[in-house]
Amino acid sequence: FGTTWQVLRSHAIQPGVSSVFVVLAQRGPSPPPADMELIQGLLQTKDNEEVQRDAVSLLATVLGSQSVEVVTQATQEFLRLLQEAAPLVQMDVLNTVMDLYGQDDFYPQVFESLDVLTHFQQCVVSISKNSNLEPEVEESLCNANAFVDYKLGR
């Protein structure tokens, strides 16, 4: 991250800049803990769906190397977005939760203690009620239902 990250921090809420953060995260080491707060702040940018979507991708990219506390905070933000965000952001969060927690050894205590599966199921039901779903959303919902079945041991 280094110098580029520091220069971009002050412009993080702009859509193109948040996309650059995602690329940096995919190519370099995890950001320092102080910058995790910046990333989580981007998740709360309610007036800019693109920045929120980038923040979900960014957080998903760096979460594997973080402490249980950071993973817990990030998961809490994901659960908030499942209830409050625009549908495309919700789908990104559903896909991220499936990617992260589909690995049985990825912080199972966080998954259980925050009751992630219940929140996940509620969001899937809510999105499924929409009759005008894009094909990629339908595919994601199919994957989400398979994830629920997997987690329930069916």
Side-chain angles (χ1 to χ4, degrees), residues 101-113:
Y101 289 105
Q103 305 167 51
D104 290 332
D105 60 343
F106 185 80
Y107 298 99
Q109 71 277 23
V110 173
F111 189 83
E112 293 295 325
S113 70

Side-chain angles (χ1 to χ4, degrees), residues 24-91:
L24 285 174
Q26 292 169 344
R27 295 177 182 232
S30 292
D35 287 331
M36 290 302 294
E37 292 176 20
L38 170 69
I39 296 167
Q40 290 177 330
L42 293 175
L43 289 172
Q44 298 174 11
T45 309
K46 293 181 181 180
D47 60 337
N48 196 321
E49 187 176 313
E50 185 178 340
V51 169
Q52 273 189 319
R53 294 183 75 194
D54 283 342
V56 169
S57 294
L58 179 56
L59 197 50
T61 300
V62 301
L63 219 49
S65 62
Q66 300 299 320
S67 69
V68 68
E69 292 82 14
V70 172
V71 171
T72 300
Q73 290 173 346
T75 301
Q76 288 169 329
E77 280 298 314
F78 289 152
L79 297 180
R80 182 187 63 76
L81 289 171
L82 287 178
Q83 294 176 345
E84 300 174 4
L88 286 177
V89 176
Q90 288 177 321
M91 291 309 306

Side-chain angles (χ1 to χ4, degrees), residues 133-146:
L133 296 176
E134 299 289 327
E136 64 270 11
V137 172
E138 287 182 16
E139 180 181 342
S140 288
L141 287 175
C142 182
N143 292 338
N145 285 318

